[in-house]
Structure formats: structure tokens, C-alpha cells
Amino acid sequence: MREERGEIVASQDAGSGPSGRAASVSRGACPSSVSGGGYPAIYERLERLRGSSPEERKAQAGAFLDLLECEPGGPGVAGGRREEIFREIERHGFYRHTPEELAWGSRFAWRHSVRCVGRWFWRQLEVRDAREARTMEAVAAHCIEHAREATHGGQIRPLVTIFAPEEPGNPSPVRIWNRQLVRYAGYAQGDGEILGDPAEQELTEWCLRSGWRGPARRGRFDVLPLLLSDAAGTRRVFEMPEESVLEVPLAHPDFEWFGELDWRWYAVPIVADMVLEIGGIRYPAAPFNGWYVGTEIGARNLADLGRYNLLPELAQRMGIFSRKECTLWRDRALVELNRAVLFSYQKAGVKIVDHHTVGHLHVRFEEEERRLGRPVTGRWDWLVPPLSGATSPLWARSYDGREYSPNFYAQTRAWETAL
């Protein structure tokens, strides 16, 4: 079946409705239901609509369809589709998205993501429809295939794989516990230190408790398995095959000794712990990715005090470490670590973007949103880079932090509700 393989969703024929029958399609012109208010009226509703009663869900679905109809170059809405959805909700309290609704809803979710500085590329998002995968084995297989397809030999593809939604009275059949499909283990040591990534200590413990043994010789960069659970609370671990995980060994354009540090990072950040909401329907398992901004790795993952905290080690090797903060040894080491990340990914042929370039692209994104009459949203603390922030074109800007639907939202960690 198409869904079992998780194929990329292709655009439907513009003249066909959900059942394949000929249907008129309304697109690119805002519907009469918004009384000429266009995008401002739609977004006002998208902000305030919440809840899961049939009437609330009909209102959420209606606002999403209005958004589809207003979208320039979008799929529009087939004649009779609105009434069909409302009937489904009245009968079952739920409705099923068509492949095009799923694809455009996911793209809108990226466009609305206030913490993402890479939204200029939102139209490039491809969607794998895996809603029919309802066992842990099937979900794990799709996740592994997602990692392979997204990596694309280093030419990273923006991709989301969407699993079964929540339905009235029925939770999602499978939950992904991992923050990202690829992440490194964090092992608690007897002296209170963490070997590996401290941010993953809790998940690492759950993996070990669920049957994962880990490598015979534990290290700082051991790839964690997938940890999944079903509706009954049963947990299973699934190893990520080596061929599905591309890692980049870190080197430096000037320091020949840098490779001796044996530091590395993985190629693709595939976020797996957020819920995708589209038109009142929630998808608790919907791993998605773009590609890395260099500072995400070099200024956060590897440098944060609560993560790998590698700056003191690097400064020692550079011969600049000092107990006097006024020497700015941290700043010097931080710049060189970020140079190493960009250099290494480019040398390996893995797609990455620097924080200056992506900031200018976000300005273009903002300009397009304003031109089309859509609200410009964002979180300043996420959009401004953690390195040389004052040099970013985003530094002096302010942002509206409202999170409109469709969107990727935070959800309770799986282990906080574990049986």
C-alpha cells in the first residue's frame, strides 16, 4: 500500500476531489466565510480556536480550509470538501486529511514555527504519509527510512514522516520517545559526571532499562537506539543501522591537530518529540527535519555548559585557556569550534548553513510574509544566533511570539506519562 511504504505525497490532480471525482477547486482567493478580511481574519481565528468538541473541531477545520483557499499557488479546496469534513466530525468527532491537506498543513506548520530561523525554505518540505503504520516495528522501519531519505548522501532534504493521529477515545498507537531520531547517549558515571551528552542522560537510562546494552566500550558519541512504546505502554528499542546515520568527523582548516580530538556530529537534525497539529487533528508522532545551522552544533550542542562543554578542552589545546575571563578565551575558542563545524561539513559534502546567511534569508522570509498580508511571528531568543548575535540582521528586530495553527507544538515527554 502507498501509506505502508511511506511514499512522498504527490500533488493530486487539480480537478479531482478526495474521492477522485471531478470537483471544482477554489484556490488563491480568500473565501466569503472570512467576510473579505483575508489573512488577518483567518489568523485571528487560528489564534483563538482551541478545544476538541465537535463544534470546536469544525471551527478549527474550517479555519484551516480557509488558509488553504487563500494560499497563492496552493491546492485550494475542492467543492463539497468543507461539507464532507463537517459531516465526518458530526458523525465521528474526527476527520481524515487528504494527502494534499496533509502536505500543505505540514508546510504551514513549518512556516508558523516561531523558533525556526530557516523558514525561507518552508515550501520545500516533503511529506511521507505513514498513517497506516500502527505497530512499533512499522514505525521504527519508517523512522530508519526517514533518516536515510533525509540524509540523501549529504544533500539534506527537508522531510516529515507523519504517523497515525489521535482519534476520539483512542490515543496514538505508537509514541516516539527520542528528542531526535539521531542523538548521542549520555551515561551517568560514578563520580557524578556524564560521559556523552548530558541532555540525553534520562533517555539513555530508559533505553538501558528497556533492553539496550550499548556498545561494549562506551564513548562520548554513541548513537542512541530508537525507543518506542505502544498504547498499552510496552516499550521496545530499535538500533539505528550504521548506513542510515551519517556522521561528520570534525577537523579544522588551520589546526592540523584538531582531528586528534576525535569529535564528531551527525548530519541531520530530525526532531521527533513534537506534536503536529493541522486543522484540529493532532499527530503525536511526526519526525521532521531541515538542515543544520552551524551554530546549533558549534555554539550549542558542543559548547553549552549543560551539553558537551568542549570549550575548555579546546582552549587548552589552543594554548589560550586562562582563569581570567577578560582574556576572552571562551570567545576565541567558540569561533574556532564553529569554523571547524562549517569546514568539516563542507569538506564532507553535507549541507549546512552559517548563521549570517540564514539570518539574511529570514529577513527575506519576513518581507514576503508582510507583502502577502500574513503575520510575522518569531521568538527572538531562538532566531538570533548564539554567536556574534549583534552582527545578525535580526538583532535589532522584535517579534510576535504567537504560535498559529497548523504548527509543531511541544508535548509532554513520553517518560513523564510512562506506565
Side-chain angles (χ1 to χ4, degrees):
M1 292 176 63
R2 188 171 123 102
E3 290 84 356
E4 286 290 348
R5 294 198 307 274
E7 290 184 6
I8 302 297
V9 172
S11 295
Q12 292 178 317
D13 187 304
S16 298
S19 61
R21 298 185 300 271
S24 62
V25 178
S26 171
R27 61 161 63 86
C30 287
S32 59
S33 60
V34 298
S35 304
Y39 276 124
I42 295 174
Y43 275 94
E44 182 181 347
R45 288 193 295 141
L46 288 171
E47 179 191 8
R48 70 170 186 263
L49 291 175
R50 297 290 186 272
S52 58
S53 71
E55 288 306 311
E56 290 167 325
R57 184 156 283 167
K58 284 167 65 175
Q60 293 162 5
F64 170 58
L65 295 176
D66 288 348
L67 196 60
L68 282 177
E69 285 191 298
C70 277
E71 185 62 33
V77 177
R81 176 58 176 157
R82 192 178 298 262
E83 292 73 19
E84 180 182 6
I85 288 176
F86 290 172
R87 285 195 300 270
E88 285 188 54
I89 294 174
E90 288 169 358
R91 292 171 183 169
H92 310 294
F94 176 82
Y95 70 100
R96 183 177 174 86
H97 288 123
T98 66
E100 278 200 329
E101 289 165 356
L102 198 68
W104 281 89
S106 300
R107 293 173 189 138
F108 293 159
W110 188 4
R111 189 173 79 194
H112 293 159
S113 296
V114 295
R115 299 188 298 177
C116 181
V117 74
R119 290 179 285 174
W120 172 252
F121 301 99
W122 68 269
R123 291 182 185 85
Q124 296 183 19
L125 183 66
E126 297 178 79
V127 178
R128 300 178 71 250
D129 186 346
R131 287 177 288 179
E132 299 304 314
R134 291 180 172 268
T135 65
M136 287 187 282
E137 293 84 357
V139 170
H142 276 295
C143 288
I144 291 167
E145 182 63 15
H146 180 125
R148 188 190 66 79
E149 291 188 15
T151 302
H152 197 49
Q155 299 305 303
I156 312 302
R157 299 166 61 188
L159 193 61
V160 59
T161 296
I162 302 176
F163 294 106
E166 293 176 350
E167 299 180 20
N170 294 309
S172 178
V174 177
R175 181 74 187 273
I176 302 171
W177 288 47
N178 307 62
R179 286 185 175 89
Q180 296 184 18
L181 295 188
V182 179
R183 207 73 185 263
Y184 295 123
Y187 307 104
Q189 305 297 289
D191 58 1
E193 295 295 313
I194 303 295
L195 175 64
D197 191 346
E200 296 301 333
Q201 178 189 352
E202 199 161 13
L203 179 63
T204 301
E205 291 175 356
W206 276 103
C207 288
L208 292 168
R209 198 181 305 175
S210 303
W212 184 57
R213 294 181 178 276
R217 185 175 180 179
R218 295 177 176 179
R220 300 167 90 177
F221 300 98
D222 296 340
V223 175
L224 282 165
L226 296 173
L227 178 58
L228 308 180
S229 61
D230 60 19
T234 303
R235 301 189 306 274
R236 283 192 60 186
V237 292
F238 298 85
E239 292 282 358
M240 291 291 288
E242 288 186 16
E243 60 271 19
S244 295
V245 180
L246 178 60
E247 296 180 275
V248 178
L250 299 186
H252 193 279
D254 298 325
F255 304 148
E256 293 185 3
W257 48 260
F258 199 98
E260 299 171 6
L261 298 171
D262 198 25
W263 297 345
R264 60 182 181 271
W265 204 254
Y266 50 90
V268 193
I270 309 171
V271 178
D273 65 345
M274 302 187 79
V275 58
L276 170 61
E277 187 273 324
I278 302 172
I281 304 300
R282 288 167 50 90
Y283 299 92
F288 65 96
N289 69 273
W291 49 81
Y292 266 122
V293 179
T295 51
E296 293 180 276
I297 304 168
R300 298 303 310 273
N301 297 334
L302 295 177
D304 271 3
L305 293 175
R307 298 293 299 283
Y308 276 82
N309 190 26
L310 297 181
L311 294 184
E313 186 176 346
L314 177 56
Q316 291 279 6
R317 290 298 301 265
M318 291 173 62
I320 62 171
F321 180 80
S322 173
R323 296 193 179 280
K324 295 181 178 180
E325 296 291 352
C326 64
T327 63
L328 303 186
W329 65 268
R330 294 183 193 275
D331 307 71
R332 294 170 62 189
L334 185 61
V335 168
E336 298 305 335
L337 181 54
N338 280 270
R339 288 185 67 204
V341 168
L342 292 173
F343 171 78
S344 302
Y345 275 64
Q346 291 162 359
K347 181 180 178 182
V350 176
K351 195 168 189 175
I352 196 169
V353 65
D354 66 88
H355 53 292
H356 296 294
T357 298
V358 79
H360 288 291
L361 289 174
H362 197 275
V363 170
R364 292 172 63 184
F365 166 76
E366 294 177 32
E367 291 170 347
E368 180 177 69
E369 295 302 286
R370 290 192 182 94
R371 179 177 60 81
L372 293 171
R374 296 194 289 251
V376 175
T377 60
R379 283 269 305 271
W380 188 93
D381 55 330
W382 279 79
L383 300 180
V384 173
L387 173 66
S388 304
T391 68
S392 168
L394 310 181
W395 174 262
R397 296 174 178 242
S398 58
Y399 293 95
D400 177 352
R402 282 176 285 190
E403 295 184 281
Y404 293 107
S405 172
N407 216 317
F408 293 96
Y409 296 104
Q411 59 182 332
T412 304
R413 302 281 186 206
W415 52 78
E416 294 178 14
T417 58
L419 298 177

